[in-house]
């Protein structure tokens, strides 16, 4: 068999890299639970009509069918696709289970998603997202839009990563402003402005004039709005100076001011009002967020989301929500690619039980089992070779301790192979220092 070649866009980490990713996932999960969010997991596939009605995603969806699918297969005849985010499946989940859920529902969801994008740094075809959402029945108080960025900031602050900056806008500001200018294709303008970071203001201006039908003056005003940013409520005055008037604009300015001022009170410097943030998906209706890693702005947003009022709705009931999603794989890829994180050992094992001879293997298994019962990761050496080779086996993997069933004193002993210190030990009572119990993930240089 020829050596297989990787498929681009589908990352597979080495074991020690996966340990770093798992540490990040666990930290995020634990933080979400500290804030009272409960876990949800949804299926990987959704009907295509559900996926296609929620935004400009038709070119990104992977279609799913069996190789030998029957023509009369009712489920596959409607078309199934792999979910491209976790918000659309969650909205469907809420509608299906509304009678069993308590509202407002605080949910977190950590799963893989799939997008048919062109792979490049920070963009993958298969990747982990970690989402939180609060969803209500018929109404959802505005204060949850203030809470979202603070929860995510807490989760990311617990990781050994560079600081973040959250950029916030409100879709009502943009829509009200465009209407105040007399622009009819609000959605088209939003999608064009969302491309500012990718293609620059000149090309966006061209899109607005040639494809959306804006006048030159309207296009200049849209770009002027997108240039406004501030860490306090002063951005609202700068918007008013541009001259557009609309009730929806005023409502959005008031809401974004509350978000910015609350973040400024709880975490100064964390959040900035940035009116170029648009978010391309159609379902956002209020506050929207994007998050950058300071010093790594070229990576783009590692965390995004916003308010959605109509994503989950029936003829009789509406379930408005607000959520934010961390692009875990995007974050991990940058941290690993630039060697910004390190793990203290390549395996979870804390103790390697040395094997004097094959006849002693059963006794060594019992020692390892005694350690595991007390939460100490242990494994038995693979071969009964000279102790020097068994110690080197542990060193190559970063395992800090080697356990000798028969030490120099005649009884059991444990050696810290970093310092060479060896002392008598009992597997029913011995405990390593806390910093050695689990692999430690730290920023490089710490």
């Amino acid at each position: 068999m020829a050596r297989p070649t990787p498929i681009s866009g589908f990352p597979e980490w080495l074991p020690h890299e996966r340990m770093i990713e798992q540490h990040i996932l666990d930290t995020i999960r634990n933080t979400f639970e500290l804030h009272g969010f409960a876990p949800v997991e949804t299926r990987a596939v959704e009907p295509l009509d559900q996926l296609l009605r929620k935004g400009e995603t038709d070119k990104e969806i992977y279609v799913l069918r069996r190789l030998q699918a029957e023509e009369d297969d009712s489920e596959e005849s409607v078309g199934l696709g792999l979910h491209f985010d976790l918000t659309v499946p969650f909205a469907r989940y809420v509608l299906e289970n509304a009678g069993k859920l308590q509202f407002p529902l605080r949910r977190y969801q950590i799963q893989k998603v799939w997008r048919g994008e062109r792979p490049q740094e920070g963009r993958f075809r298969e990747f982990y997202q970690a989402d939180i959402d609060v969803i209500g029945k018929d109404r959802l108080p505005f204060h949850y839009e203030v809470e979202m960025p603070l929860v995510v900031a807490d989760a990311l602050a617990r990781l050994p990563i560079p600081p973040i900056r959250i950029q916030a806008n409100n879709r009502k500001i943009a829509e009200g402003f465009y209407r105040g200018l007399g622009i009819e294709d609000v959605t088209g303008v939003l999608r064009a402005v969302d491309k500012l970071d990718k293609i620059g203001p000149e090309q966006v201006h061209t899109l607005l004039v040639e494809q959306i039908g804006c006048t030159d003056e309207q296009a200049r005003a849209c770009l002027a709005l997108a240039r406004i940013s501030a860490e306090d409520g002063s951005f609202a005055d700068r918007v008013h100076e541009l001259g557009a008037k609309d009730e929806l604009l005023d409502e959005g300015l008031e809401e974004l001011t509350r978000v910015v001022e609350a973040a400024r009170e709880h975490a100064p410097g964390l959040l900035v009002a940035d009116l170029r943030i648009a978010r391309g998906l159609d379902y956002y209706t209020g506050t929207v967020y994007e998050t950058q890693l300071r010093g790594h702005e070229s990576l783009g947003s590692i965390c995004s989301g916003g308010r959605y009022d109509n994503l989950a709705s029936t003829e009789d009931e509406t379930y408005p929500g607000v959520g934010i999603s961390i692009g875990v794989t995007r974050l991990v890829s940058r941290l690993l690619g630039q060697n910004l994180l390190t793990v203290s050992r390549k395996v979870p094992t804390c103790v390697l039980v040395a094997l004097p001879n094959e006849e002693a293997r059963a006794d060594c298994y019992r020692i390892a089992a005694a350690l595991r019962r007390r939460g100490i990761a242990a494994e038995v050496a693979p071969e009964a070779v000279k102790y020097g080779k068994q110690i080197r086996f542990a060193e190559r993997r970063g395992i800090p301790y080697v356990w000798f069933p028969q030490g120099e004193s005649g009884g059991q002993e444990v050696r810290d192979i970093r310092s060479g210190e060896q002392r008598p030990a009992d597997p029913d009572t011995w405990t390593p220092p806390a910093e050695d119990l689990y692999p430690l993930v730290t920023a490089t240089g710490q």
Side-chain angles (χ1 to χ4, degrees):
M1 178 180 176
R3 182 185 296 274
T5 56
I7 303 176
S8 61
F10 294 83
E12 294 180 321
W13 310 125
L14 295 174
H16 72 281
E17 294 173 328
R18 172 59 179 164
M19 288 169 62
I20 291 174
E21 181 182 54
Q22 193 65 59
H23 169 77
I24 291 174
L25 290 170
D26 289 344
T27 301
I28 292 171
R29 179 185 298 110
N30 291 338
T31 307
F32 287 169
E33 291 186 355
L34 284 173
H35 285 266
F37 290 84
V40 163
E41 182 167 333
T42 58
R43 65 199 185 205
V45 299
E46 297 291 334
L48 283 176
D49 60 346
Q50 293 292 314
L51 296 175
L52 291 172
R53 70 186 181 91
K54 298 306 179 183
E56 199 174 46
T57 57
D58 56 310
K59 295 181 180 179
E60 299 180 358
I61 295 172
Y62 280 105
V63 176
L64 192 71
R65 67 183 298 272
R66 288 185 294 119
L67 185 63
Q68 300 295 333
E70 301 292 338
E71 292 184 2
D72 61 350
D73 190 314
S74 59
E75 287 187 347
E76 295 185 15
S77 64
V78 301
L80 298 175
L82 294 172
H83 57 223
F84 62 86
D85 75 353
L86 299 179
T87 307
V88 171
F90 176 56
R92 186 267 311 159
Y93 173 91
V94 168
L95 291 178
E96 287 188 8
N97 296 281
K100 305 172 186 176
L101 299 172
Q102 299 294 319
F103 296 97
L105 173 63
R106 299 169 70 88
R107 148 279 199 186
Y108 77 85
Q109 187 171 347
I110 301 177
Q111 282 182 245
K112 285 187 174 182
V113 301
W114 294 267
R115 291 185 188 175
E117 294 190 296
R118 182 173 64 85
Q120 53 186 300
E121 185 187 17
R123 292 194 176 275
F124 301 92
R125 293 169 172 170
E126 178 184 62
F127 54 97
Y128 273 107
Q129 284 189 337
D131 286 22
I132 50 171
D133 287 79
V134 179
I135 197 161
K137 185 175 182 179
D138 298 325
R139 61 179 295 273
L140 184 71
F142 175 77
H143 63 78
Y144 290 113
E145 295 177 52
V146 177
E147 181 183 5
M148 283 292 115
L150 300 178
V151 175
V152 165
D154 186 20
L156 296 177
R158 295 169 187 264
L159 298 172
I161 64 174
I164 64 167
R165 168 65 64 87
I166 298 177
Q167 302 154 300
N169 195 2
N170 192 297
R171 291 288 281 264
K172 296 176 184 177
I173 294 175
E175 293 184 27
F177 185 83
Y178 302 153
R179 290 175 185 173
L181 294 177
I183 296 174
E184 296 183 2
D185 188 0
V186 171
T187 300
V189 176
L190 283 169
R191 288 176 178 170
V193 172
D194 196 35
K195 298 176 181 178
L196 260 174
D197 288 339
K198 296 179 182 178
I199 64 176
E202 291 185 5
Q203 291 191 50
V204 170
H205 185 282
T206 301
L207 284 177
L208 292 173
V209 173
E210 296 182 359
Q211 294 188 16
I212 309 302
C214 296
T215 66
D216 186 67
E217 184 179 358
Q218 288 172 332
R220 287 200 304 271
C222 292
L223 290 171
L225 179 73
R227 285 193 290 268
I228 295 175
S229 66
E231 294 186 6
D232 56 24
S234 63
F235 70 90
D237 294 332
R238 295 168 61 186
V239 175
H240 288 307
E241 291 172 359
L242 296 177
K245 297 183 182 300
D246 186 270
E247 290 184 3
L248 189 64
L249 170 62
D250 294 337
E251 186 178 334
L253 289 172
E254 179 185 355
E255 290 180 358
L256 185 57
T257 299
R258 289 171 61 186
V259 171
V260 171
E261 293 296 347
R264 189 180 179 205
E265 177 182 352
H266 290 90
L270 168 68
L271 187 143
V272 58
D274 190 332
L275 303 194
R276 81 178 186 278
I277 303 302
R279 304 296 302 138
L281 294 172
D282 291 345
Y283 52 68
Y284 292 118
T285 57
T287 308
V288 290
Y289 320 93
E290 289 193 355
T291 305
Q292 292 188 332
L293 207 60
R294 295 192 185 185
H296 302 268
E297 287 79 7
S298 63
L299 183 62
S301 179
I302 62 166
C303 179
S304 58
R307 170 83 180 224
Y308 49 92
D309 285 320
N310 305 310
L311 186 60
S313 61
T314 66
E315 293 181 358
D316 302 319
E317 295 176 316
T318 299
Y319 300 90
V322 59
I324 197 163
S325 172
I326 301 173
V328 177
T329 304
R330 172 177 286 201
L331 176 62
V332 170
S333 69
R334 171 56 65 97
L335 298 174
L336 294 179
Q338 297 197 358
N339 297 315
L340 296 176
L341 290 183
T342 185
V343 63
S344 58
R345 54 184 186 258
K346 295 182 178 180
V347 294
T349 309
C350 178
V351 178
L352 177 73
V353 180
L355 185 64
N357 50 64
E358 282 301 326
E359 290 72 21
R361 186 172 289 277
D363 290 335
C364 292
Y365 281 153
R366 282 190 283 271
I367 293 171
L371 292 168
R372 293 180 197 126
R373 281 195 296 270
R374 300 176 47 248
I376 303 169
E379 63 177 284
V380 176
E383 297 180 272
V385 295
K386 292 182 179 180
Y387 278 163
K389 290 186 176 181
Q390 296 188 49
I391 292 172
R392 286 193 292 276
F393 175 89
E395 286 177 332
R396 286 193 296 270
R397 289 156 179 78
I399 301 172
Y401 297 96
V402 174
W403 194 282
F404 298 99
Q406 291 182 335
E408 297 174 357
S409 64
Q412 298 184 46
E413 295 180 354
V414 65
R415 176 186 294 185
D416 183 335
I417 63 175
R418 298 159 299 183
S419 66
E421 182 181 5
Q422 184 168 326
R423 62 179 60 187
D426 183 339
D428 292 322
T429 58
W430 178 83
T431 299
E435 61 270 20
D436 290 335
L437 190 56
Y438 305 106
L440 295 179
V441 175
T442 57
T444 303
Q446 290 188 0

